[in-house]
Amino acid sequence: MKRVTIKDVARMAGVSYQTVSLVLNHPEMVADKTLKRVQEVIATLNFVPSMAARSMRAIRTNTLACVFFGERAAYDNRSFQIQDTYWNNVVQVLSRVADGHGYALMQRSQIGDDATAYACVRDLFLAGRVDGVVAVVERTGHPVLEQLQQAGLPFVVFGTRDPAFSYVAQNNQSVTADVVDHLHAEGCRRIAFIGGERDGHVNEDVEERHRGYLAAMGCHGLAEYAPWALNGDWSLASGHRIARQLCAGADRPDALIFASDRMALGALKGLHELGVSVPHEVSVVGFDNMHYDDYCIPPLSSVHSPVLEMAQASVQMLLDRILGADGQPLQRVFPAGLVVRDSSSRASLQPAG
């Protein structure tokens, strides 16, 4: 799509491009009637000044924004804070990395229709509040990102592999296959994968993990059992509920792979309440390798996410773009790895009883 330029605005408004520039930079110098007409055209064309032009004026806010698009369930109603520990960790690490480059980090959550979300992010740039955005989205081809790219605004996607944009991500598919291989080596054959969803939508990360699970199961001559193919909502409570639902009877899985540590931690409580021994009867593995994994009972096996490396790369990619680097989208995938603890290591434990 052709990017709207300042000359397009001038042509439609019937003024010179110098007048449009004054409207953008010194509106107090423009007659009210002309100002209103140009602003209406800017809104109609959805025009955003290019960052290249801002760079030429050496205007810097030294602030980046981490923007969550549609991450409604990342907050809870009790504390009004991000309760998803993984994304809380991402924000903190991004802030630390940005600070090392002399930048502050602003965090925003954009909930609502795409037009509203785009307008909010665009206004951050127009108001001179941020130089670039780290975008957290749950799907590829996000229309807000397409609009930001069309407008020439610098951003990088964190965690979702979208070939149209610059991104950093981890190898979700291959590492989930490694988890299945580990569980199979420990003697598990009835392995269930529990994904996560928000508002009925499963994000791209989970779909990649599920593909890795299916591929590895097939390599071992195993198949997914449809009644066990469930999704939690990333909460502790959903992991607790699903574990009790799947493991209350004799016809149960012998291993549960959860798409997050929070759900896996809830599952450990549910299995304890049922009197199911972990890992002798049911093994449990999570994702994210949070610090509390070492302190639950039993310690939780989990996939380590390379958050620091991804944060460092995303900030550097963003700063390069802010400083004028052009070209094809930069895309980097970092290796994640399984950290084996007692919740899935049957070979290292004595039989129960």
Side-chain angles (χ1 to χ4, degrees), residues 182-227:
H182 159 69
L183 292 170
H184 185 270
E186 293 289 332
C188 300
R189 299 295 181 268
R190 296 162 61 82
I191 304 171
F193 176 82
I194 311 302
E197 65 180 19
R198 289 192 175 99
D199 300 325
H201 174 72
V202 177
N203 67 31
E204 184 65 27
D205 281 1
V206 173
E207 292 179 351
E208 289 179 5
R209 295 172 190 181
H210 189 233
R211 288 194 290 270
Y213 159 79
L214 292 176
M217 291 283 281
C219 287
H220 293 295
L222 305 174
E224 183 176 47
Y225 181 46

Side-chain angles (χ1 to χ4, degrees), residues 21-322:
S21 180
L22 283 175
V23 169
L24 294 172
N25 299 294
H26 300 285
E28 71 281 359
M29 299 175 63
V30 182
D32 290 343
K33 183 177 179 180
T34 302
L35 177 66
K36 181 179 179 181
R37 182 166 74 253
V38 173
Q39 288 176 333
E40 288 174 348
V41 171
I42 287 173
T44 299
L45 295 180
N46 207 19
F47 169 71
V48 179
S50 72
M51 288 305 296
R54 291 189 63 201
S55 298
M56 291 175 65
R57 296 196 305 271
I59 296 175
R60 289 285 183 271
T61 69
N62 285 350
T63 300
L64 307 177
C66 178
V67 182
F68 292 79
F69 292 91
E71 296 285 321
R72 183 177 292 107
Y75 295 85
D76 74 7
N77 293 326
R78 183 163 54 184
S79 66
F80 299 101
Q81 296 176 340
I82 295 178
Q83 290 302 299
D84 187 317
T85 44
Y86 174 76
W87 289 114
N88 199 0
N89 189 35
V90 167
V91 171
Q92 292 185 47
V93 175
L94 280 170
S95 180
R96 177 181 175 185
V97 172
D99 184 67
H101 288 275
Y103 277 73
L105 184 77
M106 173 192 302
Q107 190 268 312
R108 289 289 184 271
S109 182
Q110 297 301 332
I111 299 168
D113 61 79
D114 294 330
T116 300
Y118 172 68
C120 291
V121 177
R122 178 200 61 197
D123 289 348
L124 290 176
F125 285 99
L126 286 176
R129 299 184 64 191
V130 301
D131 294 331
V133 165
V134 178
V136 179
V137 296
E138 294 188 331
R139 65 186 191 271
T140 58
H142 200 292
V144 174
L145 301 188
E146 293 176 351
Q147 290 177 294
L148 291 176
Q149 182 164 271
Q150 179 188 356
L153 300 174
F155 68 91
V156 61
V157 180
F158 193 102
T160 297
R161 300 170 69 169
D162 191 321
F165 310 120
S166 295
Y167 67 71
V168 296
Q170 66 184 38
N171 59 330
N172 282 299
Q173 185 165 329
S174 61
V175 76
T176 310
D178 293 341
V179 174
V180 174
D181 292 343
H182 159 69
L183 292 170
H184 185 270
E186 293 289 332
C188 300
R189 299 295 181 268
R190 296 162 61 82
I191 304 171
F193 176 82
I194 311 302
E197 65 180 19
R198 289 192 175 99
D199 300 325
H201 174 72
V202 177
N203 67 31
E204 184 65 27
D205 281 1
V206 173
E207 292 179 351
E208 289 179 5
R209 295 172 190 181
H210 189 233
R211 288 194 290 270
Y213 159 79
L214 292 176
M217 291 283 281
C219 287
H220 293 295
L222 305 174
E224 183 176 47
Y225 181 46
W228 298 344
L230 303 175
N231 288 314
D233 63 7
W234 304 102
S235 67
L236 293 157
S238 67
H240 177 266
R241 171 180 52 79
I242 288 171
R244 289 185 63 91
Q245 177 181 340
L246 296 186
C247 299
D251 184 27
R252 64 189 177 209
D254 60 12
L256 299 171
I257 304 172
F258 283 89
S260 78
D261 283 351
R262 282 170 58 79
M263 292 192 292
L265 192 63
L268 290 179
K269 182 176 188 293
L271 294 171
H272 174 74
E273 292 169 350
L274 292 173
V276 174
S277 175
V278 178
H280 297 102
E281 296 176 272
V282 177
S283 293
V284 179
V285 178
F287 262 79
D288 302 334
N289 193 35
M290 305 305 293
H291 288 300
Y292 50 66
D293 294 347
D294 285 308
Y295 297 95
C296 57
I297 301 175
L300 178 66
S301 295
S302 181
V303 171
H304 175 74
S305 296
V307 174
L308 176 58
E309 294 83 354
M310 291 166 63
Q312 290 171 332
S314 62
V315 170
Q316 187 59 61
M317 290 161 63
L318 195 52
L319 295 182
D320 289 345
R321 187 59 55 88
I322 290 169

